[in-house]
Amino acid sequence: MQDKLLSKTIAMVLGELERDGDLVITSPSIEPVADRIAQAVLSVVPNTALSHLEMLGVRNLVLHAISDKRFFDWEMPTLTGFTAAEFEGIAEKLPRD
């Protein structure tokens, strides 16, 4: 998966660092370097294509699902890999408003 916004932002910052003399890039093109860094970053951060509103929606969905014992029953941790308490912790990491 490639995140164009992330790659473009990294390329811009790499260019600034090079212009400021903080970094020397020997590659003829900065974009492949930025793409590789972006791929590494995406392994540990959410995709930047998720809007703030979409993250709010996911948070609300998670909180609604764990509050409904008919939906989030004894089988859900087996299906998802997370308990209701763990999902609550996940939801707390997402934007509130």
Side-chain angles (χ1 to χ4, degrees):
M1 174 169 67
Q2 191 168 359
D3 186 322
K4 291 292 186 186
L5 176 60
L6 182 59
S7 289
K8 182 179 175 182
T9 303
I10 290 171
M12 182 182 68
V13 172
L14 287 173
E16 290 171 2
L17 288 168
E18 188 172 40
R19 280 188 299 282
D20 293 344
D22 295 324
L23 185 67
V24 175
I25 299 173
T26 59
S27 175
S29 175
I30 204 167
E31 285 77 16
V33 176
D35 289 344
R36 285 187 61 189
I37 294 171
Q39 284 304 111
V41 169
L42 285 174
S43 69
V44 294
V45 298
N47 186 313
T48 60
L50 280 172
S51 72
H52 185 78
L53 192 58
E54 289 170 328
M55 287 191 286
L56 285 173
V58 170
R59 181 181 192 278
N60 289 335
L61 177 65
V62 167
L63 292 174
H64 180 74
I66 63 175
S67 70
D68 185 348
K69 303 302 179 212
R70 293 170 300 163
F71 176 77
F72 203 95
D73 60 10
W74 62 271
E75 187 179 28
M76 200 55 70
T78 303
L79 295 172
T80 65
F82 296 102
T83 64
E86 289 169 322
F87 267 118
E88 187 172 8
I90 293 167
E92 287 302 312
K93 295 177 185 178
L94 295 169
R96 293 174 186 263
D97 51 31

